Amino acid sequence: MKRKDMYYLLVCAMLCQPLYVFATENGTETSVQAEAQPGETADVGSLLEDLTAGADLFGAGTDMTDQDMPGTGTEEKEPVADGLGTDMEGQDTEAGDAEDLYADARTIEKDTGTTDGQEALAEGSGQDMEAPTSIRDIMGDPVGASLIVEAKRTEEEYAQAYEDAKNANWGYTNLGIANVDNNLNIRAIPGEDGRLVGKLPKDAACEVLDSDDEWAHIKSGEVEGYVSCEFLLTGLAAKHRAEELVSTIATVVTDILNVRAEANTDAEIITSIPNGEELEVVESEGDWIRVYLDDEEVFVAAEYVQVDAKLDTAITMTELLYGQGVSDVRVDLCQYAKEFLGNPYVWGGTSLTNGADCSGYVLSIFKKYGVTLPHSSRAQANYGTTIKLSEAQPGDLIFYGKGQTINHVAIYIGNGQVIHASSPKTGIRISNASYRTPLKVVRILQV
């Protein structure tokens, strides 16, 4: 009899009838005294033989060393998730996460021809259970390590179960959410004197790689560095916040995707979007996906996009820096514009803090630099000097439209990026300058 079998048998025996088990440390002497009638002596051998009925169901046939048994080994072992609300690194998780993972991973083939409260024996036994005849009958379905012994999934299926569980956290295994009003600085080293390597916008997500009481080592998008733990939600708090923030995103998977006013190929083409650009999904309508294009609802063909649930990620310093030869005024204007990143979009608004629409945002930024602009993107396009997109410098304006009619404006900030008040959902954000087809580029600043 194998060591693991004996453990299960002794537990079962103590549950079934009074037993007193004494075993020496080296295992050379074991006496078992069972409750017997007066004048009778308990036959320990026959008692254990009765209890071993069905022991092969527990995977007997592989001998186990002390290191294989829980709590007896000296080697460091990976913990097995058991639904107790703690993940592999000790961070708090929802109690059901681990249970869901293993419930998804286990597949125990059963003969379901029994009545409620009865279970068939393990596959291949050929017997239906009508009365307790084995340890399994008494103890019920195995749990913990014995559950894994019985699982019949392949290595690939285990890997898929893990991915499914990870995707329950939107691709993060140890999720963090920026709990700030604007942006959370990401530094190269843990300390306020560390070099800035990126920004984690309000409510953006990251993978927490490690942390202490003060600093967390994170990775978000293309940025890896350190942020202050004071401004980072983790554990259940992060997951609950993420559930409120997650968006369904359609990513373009073709070279150029037409965006249409209605869900059919005869409808007007509003603009075209390049491969890799993302659009927020409103809803799926069969072969078409209704998406937001800034503050408009438009349609794209479902076959040319990949739809996923996503959280916002960090902004790299490359997205925040400028090319050489750019005037101080232009750099200062763009830097000022970025101070309001993440602030709300409000149609008709001009407040940089409480809410502005696209043209209201632009006119308020330029007002600080002595430039007066009208509150209309179409009207703003008639100011300044028209230039080519290839000539654009930080501080120039890029206009977009519906067909050939201008209805949106953004500020070019260099490195192929624009900042704009996009929509009520996203607020003020940074996008690729080609996130939709530009119609016009205008230079307002002549410095």
Side-chain angles (χ1 to χ4, degrees):
M1 183 183 300
K2 306 304 180 291
R3 188 184 302 271
K4 184 176 73 171
D5 299 338
M6 176 67 79
Y7 281 12
Y8 277 102
L9 297 178
L10 293 180
V11 169
C12 181
M14 287 186 286
L15 292 174
C16 296
Q17 55 185 302
L19 290 176
Y20 298 90
V21 181
F22 303 93
T24 60
E25 182 67 22
N26 59 15
T28 58
E29 179 182 351
T30 302
S31 66
V32 181
Q33 179 178 345
E35 186 176 22
Q37 298 296 323
E40 295 180 355
T41 302
D43 185 345
V44 174
S46 62
L47 172 61
L48 292 178
E49 182 177 354
D50 290 340
L51 290 172
T52 58
D56 57 314
L57 299 177
F58 289 90
T62 302
D63 202 2
M64 300 183 69
T65 66
D66 286 343
Q67 284 76 17
D68 293 324
M69 298 309 300
T72 62
T74 57
E75 298 179 0
E76 183 177 349
K77 299 291 182 178
E78 283 191 11
V80 177
D82 59 4
L84 296 179
T86 304
D87 69 13
M88 298 303 185
E89 296 183 0
Q91 300 296 325
D92 291 337
T93 61
E94 289 188 316
D97 287 348
E99 292 176 347
D100 291 342
L101 171 59
Y102 280 101
D104 194 41
R106 63 178 292 201
T107 304
I108 303 174
E109 298 295 332
K110 295 181 179 179
D111 180 355
T112 58
T114 58
T115 60
D116 291 342
Q118 294 181 327
E119 262 187 357
L121 285 172
E123 184 178 1
S125 68
Q127 296 181 3
D128 286 344
M129 296 178 63
E130 297 181 357
T133 59
S134 70
I135 293 176
R136 173 178 289 172
D137 302 336
I138 300 169
M139 298 184 68
D141 282 342
V143 296
S146 53
L147 180 149
I148 298 175
V149 171
E150 294 215 5
K152 301 187 185 304
R153 288 201 172 190
T154 64
E155 181 177 348
E156 291 75 14
E157 289 172 324
Y158 277 126
Q160 185 59 50
Y162 172 77
E163 289 300 320
D164 290 343
K166 186 173 73 172
N167 289 337
N169 276 341
W170 308 282
Y172 298 89
T173 55
N174 195 1
L175 177 66
I177 299 289
N179 187 28
V180 290
D181 293 331
N182 198 334
N183 296 287
L184 179 57
N185 290 329
I186 305 175
R187 300 186 180 275
I189 60 173
E192 293 183 1
D193 57 344
R195 175 176 57 87
L196 283 176
V197 295
K199 300 272 188 178
L200 195 63
K202 175 183 178 180
D203 293 331
C206 66
E207 180 72 25
V208 180
L209 305 175
D210 193 12
S211 66
D212 55 27
D213 292 337
E214 296 185 14
W215 294 90
H217 182 195
I218 68 157
K219 182 174 177 60
S220 179
E222 299 179 4
V223 185
E224 181 174 343
Y226 295 83
V227 298
S228 171
C229 291
E230 179 182 356
F231 305 106
L232 190 68
L233 297 178
T234 58
L236 287 178
K239 185 167 184 177
H240 291 160
R241 176 69 66 85
E243 288 170 348
E244 300 172 356
L245 300 171
V246 68
S247 298
T248 304
I249 300 298
T251 304
V252 179
V253 293
T254 188
D255 290 340
I256 297 292
L257 177 63
N258 290 330
V259 178
R260 297 185 181 270
E262 302 293 338
N264 62 76
T265 54
D266 295 328
E268 174 192 1
I269 297 176
I270 295 176
T271 189
S272 297
I273 297 179
N275 189 298
E277 286 296 330
E278 298 179 346
L279 297 165
E280 185 181 351
V281 174
V282 180
E283 63 179 340
S284 175
E285 300 183 6
D287 294 336
W288 294 86
I289 306 291
R290 185 194 297 266
V291 298
Y292 284 115
L293 182 65
D294 294 319
D295 57 346
E296 293 184 83
E297 292 187 11
V298 293
F299 295 86
V300 295
E303 63 180 307
Y304 300 118
V305 297
Q306 178 179 321
V307 177
D308 300 289
K310 291 187 177 182
L311 296 163
D312 289 340
T313 54
I315 302 169
T316 66
M317 290 307 295
T318 301
E319 294 169 328
L320 295 171
L321 297 178
Y322 314 96
Q324 294 182 349
V326 179
S327 70
D328 290 342
V329 173
R330 289 177 175 271
V331 169
D332 190 70
L333 182 144
C334 292
Q335 196 65 28
Y336 178 62
K338 291 172 187 174
E339 290 181 15
F340 309 102
L341 189 67
N343 283 0
Y345 174 102
V346 174
W347 189 87
T350 59
S351 172
L352 297 173
T353 54
N354 297 325
D357 58 15
C358 63
S359 60
Y361 172 66
V362 168
L363 76 84
S364 295
I365 294 297
F366 275 79
K367 182 178 180 180
K368 179 179 179 185
Y369 297 87
V371 177
T372 301
L373 294 173
H375 192 176
S376 163
S377 59
R378 194 177 310 174
Q380 288 175 1
N382 294 322
Y383 280 63
T385 304
T386 301
I387 60 174
K388 296 178 181 178
L389 180 62
S390 59
E391 299 172 338
Q393 293 185 7
D396 291 337
L397 299 182
I398 299 182
F399 295 87
Y400 306 88
K402 183 175 183 179
Q404 295 301 309
T405 302
I406 289 173
N407 64 2
H408 193 72
V409 60
I411 301 173
Y412 185 66
I413 58 174
N415 294 306
Q417 305 282 318
V418 295
I419 187 167
H420 57 136
S422 176
S423 71
K425 175 69 174 180
T426 62
I428 298 170
R429 68 183 301 183
I430 291 176
S431 301
N432 291 326
S434 59
Y435 81 100
R436 56 192 288 192
T437 305
L439 294 183
K440 191 174 183 179
V441 183
V442 168
R443 175 159 295 163
I444 302 292
L445 299 174
Q446 300 302 320
V447 292

